[in-house]
Amino acid sequence: MAASHKSITAAEIKAAVDHAYESLKDTTGGKNADYIPYLASVDPTLFGISVCLLDGTVISAGDVDHTFGIESVSKVPTAILAMREYGAVDVLEKVGADATGLPFNSIMALLLEKDRPSSPLVNAGAIAACSLVEPIGDADGKWRAITTNIAELTGHEPAVIEELYRSESATDFNNRSIAWLLKDYGRIYDDPNLSLDLYTRQCSLGTTAHQLAIMAATIANDGFNPVTNKQVFDPDFAPKITSLITTVGFYERTDDWLYKSGIPAKSGVGGGVLGIMPGMFGIAAFSPPLDEAGNSVKAQAAIRQIMQELGLNIFAASRLCVCQCATPASEA
Ligand code: GLU
């Protein structure tokens, strides 16, 4: 007999989010990133979880409106922007889709790959993706293109956390090496310093768990933002970006993450994680302390727990769901 999809209500998702929040909110473990000084100073007790269903209902618990540094999660929207501007085939050719299996900022990965491309979701590929961005209008046009795209995906105009930008720019020596190695290998398509600055600025943008959940839902919904009701990108790009997230979302810990959680997700050293259940929902969690690979300990635990409680797994036919999205009265 063919496996049929589960049916899950918004009330069940809300209960799972509340349970994960309550059971994890007082737990400790991990350590804020400190190689970017600003991140070390962020309150480590902040914790929020947000799920956006494909009818636009947002279910949240905790500090979901606290603004934090988007960091590597910004690689996701800029990879989408590159697809919007160049198409999925050119992004594969010019940047690539290869999960390096090495840390996010690995120079070794670049040395090994030389002129072979790698994923736009690791630092080297992300700097290359920034170099590709077509300017809208004037000299600040590239930046405007990056932020406009994020605003379309989240429904919110993003702003740079200036202190984070200063902190990150003053300490980005590793990324500077990456930008110039890309130049050496012919894999950067604009001035390396300018491209690195764009990358650093996009990593320093403020975001919230609520906003990331909407971005995740837009990807899960084939590019249609369920909150703004706008088609942001070509539906054909949704499986491409989700495949990139699946293969490299947690860098060298991606395989463990998928095995344990059953959901493609992308983390950032600011403590945010964005997860995609295609055709079902987008989820985001935020908590600053990280494991040694740079992934938020509590955000990972929260998303895993919610997936388990709901009995969902993207790799199991009987554990996909059809969400009964009607908003429960208590949420309206
Ligand atoms: N801006 C950070 C860096 O390039 C982002 C790293 C991350 O979030 O994984 O080092």
Side-chain angles (χ1 to χ4, degrees):
M1 196 179 78
S4 61
H5 291 176
K6 295 159 76 77
S7 183
I8 287 184
T9 63
E12 287 170 312
I13 296 175
K14 167 136 182 60
V17 167
D18 286 345
H19 293 155
Y21 180 75
E22 285 307 321
S23 67
L24 292 164
K25 71 178 186 335
D26 298 321
T27 60
T28 53
K31 189 168 157 297
N32 285 26
D34 56 8
Y35 74 102
I36 299 168
Y38 170 90
L39 295 177
S41 68
V42 177
D43 178 357
T45 65
L46 288 163
F47 179 38
I49 309 167
S50 212
V51 175
C52 180
L53 306 184
L54 301 196
D55 69 349
T57 304
V58 179
I59 295 167
S60 296
D63 303 311
V64 294
D65 293 319
H66 181 87
T67 300
F68 60 92
I70 189 170
E71 294 296 345
S72 269
V73 182
S74 67
K75 291 165 177 160
V76 172
T78 300
I80 292 172
L81 178 59
M83 289 182 204
R84 292 176 74 179
E85 292 182 338
Y86 293 85
V89 172
D90 270 21
V91 169
L92 184 63
E93 268 168 24
K94 291 182 192 303
V95 185
D98 188 35
T100 64
L102 289 165
F104 61 89
N105 55 0
S106 176
I107 288 177
M108 181 63 75
L110 199 51
L111 293 173
L112 292 172
E113 290 180 326
K114 296 194 169 68
D115 54 355
R116 279 193 300 123
S118 72
S119 169
L121 302 194
V122 299
N123 285 20
I127 296 168
C130 284
S131 78
L132 277 174
V133 172
E134 296 278 2
I136 298 181
D138 57 25
D140 290 331
K142 277 189 171 239
W143 179 241
R144 188 164 314 121
I146 288 172
T147 54
T148 301
N149 177 57
I150 293 176
E152 288 173 356
L153 289 163
T154 62
H156 295 84
E157 198 64 52
V160 167
I161 303 172
E162 290 297 338
E163 200 187 332
L164 174 56
Y165 174 57
R166 280 195 298 277
S167 183
E168 193 148 344
S169 303
T171 53
D172 64 351
F173 312 115
N174 191 89
N175 287 340
R176 283 184 222 175
S177 314
I178 289 176
W180 284 98
L181 269 176
L182 285 170
K183 174 82 176 164
D184 198 34
Y185 294 137
R187 284 175 49 197
I188 196 159
Y189 306 97
D190 202 340
D191 177 70
N193 289 333
L194 180 145
S195 307
L196 174 62
D197 182 56
L198 280 174
Y199 168 76
T200 308
R201 272 156 81 179
Q202 76 169 25
C203 286
S204 307
L205 282 168
T207 193
T208 66
H210 181 135
Q211 291 165 21
L212 290 185
I214 297 171
M215 185 191 301
T218 304
I219 298 168
N221 202 23
D222 277 354
F224 185 85
N225 183 323
V227 174
T228 61
N229 286 318
K230 293 216 172 79
Q231 187 70 43
V232 180
F233 60 83
D234 185 330
D236 285 349
F237 301 155
K240 306 291 185 216
I241 189 68
T242 305
S243 77
L244 294 173
I245 291 170
T246 308
T247 52
V248 78
F250 283 79
Y251 306 114
E252 73 272 34
R253 295 283 165 81
T254 305
D255 317 13
D256 293 358
W257 165 257
L258 284 174
Y259 194 96
K260 290 188 201 156
S261 70
I263 177 171
K266 178 75 199 85
S267 73
V269 293
V273 174
L274 153 156
I276 318 286
M277 284 302 276
M280 292 169 256
F281 56 75
I283 184 167
F286 157 62
S287 163
L290 312 177
D291 63 20
E292 316 84 70
N295 303 312
S296 168
V297 172
K298 223 141 93 171
Q300 291 182 77
I303 295 175
R304 266 201 323 260
Q305 184 173 324
I306 291 165
M307 292 293 289
Q308 266 161 20
E309 179 167 335
L310 295 173
L312 298 177
N313 191 317
I314 197 176
F315 301 111
S318 61
R319 298 180 71 190
L320 299 173
C321 78
V322 179
C323 293
Q324 309 281 302
C325 285
T327 311
S330 60
E331 283 282 298

